[in-house]
Amino acid sequence: MKLKEIISFINERIPEDLALKHDNVGLNGEYDLNQEITSIKIFMDLLPDDDNGENTLIITHHPPLFIPKTPTYTIHSNWDVIKGGSNDILAKTLKLDVIDVLDEKTNIGRICKTDYSFNQLKKIILDKYENVRIVTQLNDDYILNKIGTISGFGLKNSKYVKLAKEKELDILISGDLTQETAILGKNLSITLIDLGHHESEVPGLYQLANLLKEININIEVIDKTPIKVIK
């Protein structure tokens, strides 16, 4: 299949123009659009050592920090905001039912309805994720009502913590918790759960691979976290 045909397929389903302003999505260089592609590799982040592969298209979630020589295409915030994309699959992974978007201006994040107790939700999370960090004042038997989810970066931005409080959410789940937002969460009495930036976005990579199966060429997800935990 020609590169241009695959790009057209992707753009029909995940339009580049859904991306947030200044987000660098799409092709990352000037490539021969008529070259034949026989395999696709999907990365969260591309490192120079992985910039190889004959007749391969690399798809990244985060824009690369260099110009790859291998044809490389980035699907980022357009994948986060689209229905069925990264934010929706994170909620599904946590067994939560989406009822609304968190930020109506950008479609970032989801609001989920639940009747789990806090302890039940913690078990679901800890069965799937390691190295979870939490800021909370809830008791384990507290019955939850609404939970916010944002894949990736949501807990480093005080705007989303404040928005979650305004929308009367019990909990905001995302990645990239900082000292500042942890203190903000304490002050606002909202529970923050940090899954890790990479970890909260990985389900989206596999969902993307499922969507691309229709192309009918070999597709591989390469899950390589850039950060190691010392234990």
Side-chain angles (χ1 to χ4, degrees):
M1 196 170 188
K2 294 185 184 301
L3 175 58
K4 64 182 181 184
E5 294 171 332
I6 297 175
I7 299 304
S8 177
F9 177 93
I10 296 172
N11 204 29
E12 283 178 6
R13 288 153 181 80
I14 314 168
E16 293 177 12
D17 58 12
L18 290 181
L20 301 183
K21 192 176 181 182
H22 304 308
D23 192 15
N24 185 23
V25 299
L27 284 169
N28 286 264
E30 295 183 5
Y31 307 108
D32 176 7
L33 295 174
N34 288 309
Q35 64 183 288
E36 286 292 328
I37 299 295
T38 58
S39 68
I40 294 175
K41 293 183 178 179
I42 301 176
F43 291 84
M44 185 74 71
D45 298 277
L46 183 65
L47 301 174
D49 287 348
D50 295 312
D51 181 16
N52 54 57
E54 193 172 345
N55 303 116
T56 296
L57 169 64
I58 291 174
I59 294 177
T60 69
H61 186 55
H62 297 141
L65 301 180
F66 61 99
I67 298 176
K69 62 180 184 295
T70 308
T72 300
Y73 187 87
T74 295
I75 305 170
H76 190 212
S77 55
N78 47 337
W79 181 234
D80 291 336
V81 303
I82 197 169
K83 186 175 182 181
S86 184
N87 278 299
D88 284 308
I89 195 65
L90 173 60
K92 184 177 180 181
T93 299
L94 297 173
K95 301 180 181 179
L96 298 172
D97 296 323
V98 173
I99 59 170
D100 204 351
V101 298
L102 178 61
D103 183 353
E104 292 94 345
K105 293 180 181 177
T106 62
N107 280 335
I108 289 287
R110 298 293 182 264
I111 295 175
C112 307
K113 185 79 172 173
T114 183
D115 57 1
Y116 289 139
S117 69
F118 184 42
N119 197 47
Q120 286 174 313
L121 178 68
K122 285 195 296 184
K123 186 175 186 314
I124 291 169
I125 290 173
L126 294 175
D127 283 346
K128 296 179 180 295
Y129 293 91
E130 298 179 344
N131 308 309
V132 175
R133 300 189 299 164
I134 186 166
V135 174
T136 189
Q137 294 158 307
L138 295 178
N139 297 319
D140 279 352
D141 56 358
Y142 180 85
I143 302 300
L144 303 167
N145 182 25
K146 291 190 292 185
I147 296 173
T149 60
I150 304 174
S151 61
F153 70 109
L155 296 181
K156 76 175 180 182
N157 191 330
S158 60
K159 164 189 168 183
Y160 294 120
V161 178
K162 294 175 182 175
L163 184 60
K165 182 65 178 179
E166 289 172 11
K167 297 203 168 188
E168 300 181 334
L169 307 187
D170 295 310
I171 296 175
L172 180 60
I173 303 172
S174 186
D176 285 351
L177 180 68
T178 70
Q179 181 82 5
E180 179 185 354
T181 52
I183 296 300
L184 180 62
K186 282 279 190 183
N187 290 345
L188 295 177
S189 295
I190 181 168
T191 292
L192 307 177
I193 299 180
D194 181 7
L195 305 177
H197 186 126
H198 180 93
E199 290 78 3
S200 69
E201 292 195 309
V202 164
L205 298 187
Y206 288 94
Q207 178 71 358
L208 182 58
N210 285 334
L211 186 149
L212 298 179
K213 279 181 180 175
E214 195 178 329
I215 295 175
N216 200 29
I217 62 176
N218 183 52
I219 300 172
E220 183 180 8
V221 175
I222 314 293
D223 180 8
K224 296 174 70 172
T225 176
I227 300 173
K228 299 295 183 185
V229 176
I230 300 173
K231 293 185 177 178

